Amino acid sequence: MCYFMSKIRLLHSSRKWRNILKTVFKTRKIRYTIASLLFIFCAFLFLDVLYPINTNISYSTIIYAQDSTLLHGFLTPDEKWRMYTTLDEITPELKKAIVFKEDKYFHYHYGVNPIAIARAIFYNIKSRRRTSGASTISMQVARLLDPKPRTYSNKIKEMFRATQLEWHYTKNEILQLYLNLAPFGGNIEGVKAASVIYFGKLPSHLSIGEIATLSIIPNRPVSLRLGKNNEYIKQQRNKWLNRYKQNNLFPKQNIDDAIDEPINAYRHNVPRMAPHISHRLKNKYPKQNIIYSSIDCEIQRKLESIVKNYSQSLYFQNIKNATCLVIDNKSHKVKAYIGSADFFNNEDGGQVDGITAIRSPGSTLKPLLYAMAIDKGLITPKYCIADVPFSLSGYEPENYDGKFYGNISIEFALAKSLNVPAVKVLNKLGIKTFIDKLSQINFTQIKSNKNNLGLSIALGGCGSKLEELTTMYSAFANEGRYQNISFIQKKKNKPAQKMISKASAFMITEILTQLTRPDLPLAWANSKHMPKIAWKTGTSYGRRDAWSIGYNKKYTVGTWVGNFSGEGVPELSGASKASPLLFKIFNTIDHNSESEWFSMPDEVSFRAVCPETGLLPSKHCSNDMLDYYIPGVSSMQTCQHIKIVPIAIDSSVSYCTSCKPHSGYIKAEYPNLSPEIIAYYEVNHIDYLKIPPHNQKCERIIAGKAPQITSPIHKNEYYVDVNNEMQIKLSCQVSNDVNKIYWYINKKFFKAVKPSESIFFDPEEGKIQISCSDDKGRNTDIYIDVKHINL
């Protein structure tokens, strides 16, 4: 019953309102009024589509550090300091002060305040001049977006634009536009730019006194110039602070403190820290007004000073520039980026970004080369290799110091950065395998030029960047996992990829941590402040580039020292010039690095090896030593550095199994030396135990290594000047049991000599066959092509 009664009342009520509306619409004036309003509204919508408001504003690009410290600012294209103020930076105090000062009814009108307009018209007519304005914040934004002379027609346009703003944007967004565009004198626009330039802080950190100061300037930006007439500005500010107090805008005590607050503001320079990375980020993200970088402001500031001072100390040695890159090994974020010693030094190319410049890497690629060879089972740290003169298809590498060290271990070769062992290991590993790995880990120049690279890549015969090298070394600090580095805070890194194994990364780190090595700077050899790091140096051909790259558990640091012009300097080397800078940097950013170090992974184990070869010891080996190895990967080859040879009791001759007598001989141990080691010993007059000449009555051809012809080079072309009687050298390497070799030219006997003796011949033009036989009957043939020329 109640339900039906309520429905009857509702029906009665709706009929009542329907009758009222019918009565209203029967009134002609009201119908015209409503129609007019609808027409105006439709006209507004039509004009809004026809003449859309343009709020695309060019802002200054601002680069922040990881802690939101302002690192670097850039002018807008129209040479303005106009910094984008985010909604989060508009504090309640700033919002209250601006609205109270500029437009008390901002939140109650729709862009135009009719009461303010009526009041302004009344007072202006009364005084016969402009004494009062009626511009709302929305109208001011419209004028700032499209400045025009102050005329009545333009005022009407401002009203239309203000209404458009209200139609498309929220009140907070309109207020944000005003705070971004308000003039503060000179080329400073927006509260953020004014706050940074005059007070050296962001808007969110302004005091009430500073907010009041900035709020009064936009109306009189010429006469109220901070830094020139601060006392007058203080008087004007305090008038408004008293009005704040009268209207209880802020707590009374806060306003009293603001009134007593002096104005010490003056125009500061916008921060210009980290200029190279700032320019790089601005160019990479051209549409972003605010970029949050990964740079650590304190580290950047300290290292900029260190690199600049260090470069100045080398200036009179004609070494004029240096660069540095610091990577956080855990986050893979860049913490410091110094592209040159002094960005503002135009004379020495200070604006060149040395971190992205392509230079010869010298020996800095060797750790990766040896790590890959370890993973392939080709070597271990104690594995021995011959560091002797070496030629491969005409390529003859030499060590940095011009010396050769004979039979040495891999760890010795890497610690001393020897060139010949590195080239041999690369030849064994395969050039393509090495280049493919470098291409995989984003060595761009190597990737684009991979078809033209050869064995010299192991020694720096390629192009690379400090950024690429430092990122590669960071992988050693991350158990062999390669991760692209990031320059901004919120960017997610791509998944890490395996560069090398945990085992090889650990082994290489152990070698690079050793202090007994030639690239340890003399000044740091006995220093108490020597940082614990793994590091590697490099020096390019012609001493144009000096590198030193190191890492510990926390950071990887890459340094380069040299001249951007490419000018070489005799004193320039990675050890003497780049490493001291590297050590200074580590002592600055992580002086207590010894508290945490790399631990041996489960994939690595120990084994006993022969010190002569680094292979598993045989019954003839003694003084075994421990070596790292990877079970299931490292070679299990047994050492064969001793050769058992039957010889006469008086050691006059040696025998093979065919000519060995039934009695009257003994078995003697002789070093099983490679032909290249024998040749090295012979040339340098190093004594070694030689196998006696073979039994001359034996008619058997002895199995073993045939002579290796080292000169001339097989299949090479030789151009001979017939006017200068040029000759071609004949040389070879043979086994320990060879006492004489026989040379043949085009199958005709030429000369018999000792293995260590080099001889020369006058070549005929055309294709020539050269043969070399030893006294055991073993033979090698090569072919060369000779062309006669007249110089």
Side-chain angles (χ1 to χ4, degrees), residues 81 185-188 197-198 225-227 265-269:
W81 285 116
N187 66 340
I188 303 173
I197 293 173
Y198 288 129
R225 183 68 66 87
L226 282 167
Y266 61 92
R267 181 159 183 157
H268 299 77
N269 290 324

Side-chain angles (χ1 to χ4, degrees), residues 60-66 68-72 74 84 192 277-295 487-490:
S60 300
T61 301
I62 303 300
I63 312 295
Y64 286 104
Q66 65 172 11
S68 297
T69 300
L70 181 58
L71 270 183
H72 201 102
F74 294 91
Y84 183 74
K192 187 172 186 176
I277 183 62
S278 297
H279 278 81
R280 180 172 177 175
L281 292 175
K282 180 178 182 291
N283 294 332
K284 187 174 182 179
Y285 305 103
K287 295 183 179 180
Q288 291 190 24
N289 303 313
I290 298 175
I291 302 173
Y292 290 92
S293 76
S294 60
I295 298 296
F487 302 98
I488 59 177
Q489 288 185 38
K490 296 181 180 180

Side-chain angles (χ1 to χ4, degrees), residues 432-448:
K432 184 179 184 302
T433 301
F434 190 51
I435 291 176
D436 287 346
K437 178 63 70 174
L438 290 169
S439 300
Q440 179 189 340
I441 58 176
N442 300 322
F443 277 72
T444 53
Q445 183 70 12
I446 291 174
K447 186 176 182 178
S448 63

